[in-house]
Amino acid sequence: MSSSTPLLAAYDLFLPDEDATIRIAQLLSQAVQPIDSKVHLYLEGDLGAGKTAFTRAFLRALGVTGRIKSPSYALLESYAVSNLNLYHLDFYRFNNPREWVEAGFRDILEENAVVLIEWPEKAGGLLPPPDLNLHFHYQDEGRLLSITAHSTKGQSWLKTLTQNN
């Protein structure tokens, strides 16, 4: 039996307001740095549950300045900070899981970049597993954020989050 503590695979956190959402996004951005490989975060939840607010705060914490738009209509917003590429995708308007492939987004997932995807479930099972899946649920006046790690990196980030929160 190993004496080391096993890494967490899932974590639930109550977010009473948008400030709490911003704080957890900032903490997660610190956990994933330095970024030297692919980072894939998938965000799920009902409309208005906090996915875009989280993404904006996360991107700001990584150094994005200027306006951060929701990609609801454009499907993709991209940003460059130093030599780091950041991509924010939104699949809400997809009606068929293959649409994300036909839109040419597969290459983005192969880059050493930070990729945040809202509504990944709209791609069916065609997306590779994320490092972290963040699911925002309405709960009382706030939100319940359920974070699930799907990679060793994701487990490490989740452990860092739980230690700092």
Side-chain angles (χ1 to χ4, degrees):
M1 182 178 213
S2 172
S3 62
S4 65
T5 305
L7 293 174
L8 294 174
Y11 181 61
D12 288 339
L13 177 67
F14 180 70
L15 305 171
D17 53 29
E18 189 171 350
D19 288 342
T21 301
I22 291 168
R23 182 175 172 275
I24 199 71
Q26 292 168 337
L27 284 172
L28 183 58
S29 75
Q30 292 169 7
V32 304
Q33 293 186 45
I35 298 167
D36 58 6
S37 63
K38 301 172 197 169
V39 174
H40 296 155
L41 305 178
Y42 296 174
L43 298 97
E44 298 181 38
D46 291 332
L47 286 171
K51 298 177 300 292
T52 301
F54 174 92
T55 300
R56 282 188 178 119
F58 184 85
L59 293 172
R60 283 260 181 262
L62 290 179
V64 174
T65 58
R67 186 168 181 229
I68 298 176
K69 300 183 295 184
S70 173
S72 292
Y73 289 99
L75 305 178
L76 167 68
E77 294 293 335
S78 61
Y79 308 91
V81 175
S82 192
N83 61 349
L84 178 62
N85 290 322
L86 310 165
Y87 298 102
H88 180 195
L89 295 106
D90 188 326
F91 293 167
Y92 177 72
R93 302 208 179 278
F94 286 172
N95 294 314
N96 180 312
R98 297 218 40 91
E99 287 181 87
W100 82 272
V101 175
E102 293 165 4
F105 296 140
R106 184 182 300 272
D107 292 341
I108 288 172
L109 295 174
E110 297 303 316
E111 287 185 35
N112 282 347
V114 176
V115 180
L116 298 103
I117 300 177
E118 294 188 42
W119 302 94
E121 64 274 19
K122 296 276 193 156
L126 299 176
L127 289 173
D131 294 302
L132 289 178
N133 188 75
L134 298 96
H135 195 122
F136 294 83
H137 310 268
Y138 285 101
Q139 183 174 330
D140 302 321
E141 297 296 317
R143 308 292 186 269
L144 178 67
L145 173 59
S146 298
I147 307 172
T148 306
H150 295 274
S151 71
T152 303
K153 288 185 300 189
Q155 289 175 336
S156 175
W157 303 333
L158 192 55
K159 183 177 180 184
T160 299
L161 275 180
T162 60
Q163 291 171 344
N164 292 316
N165 196 29

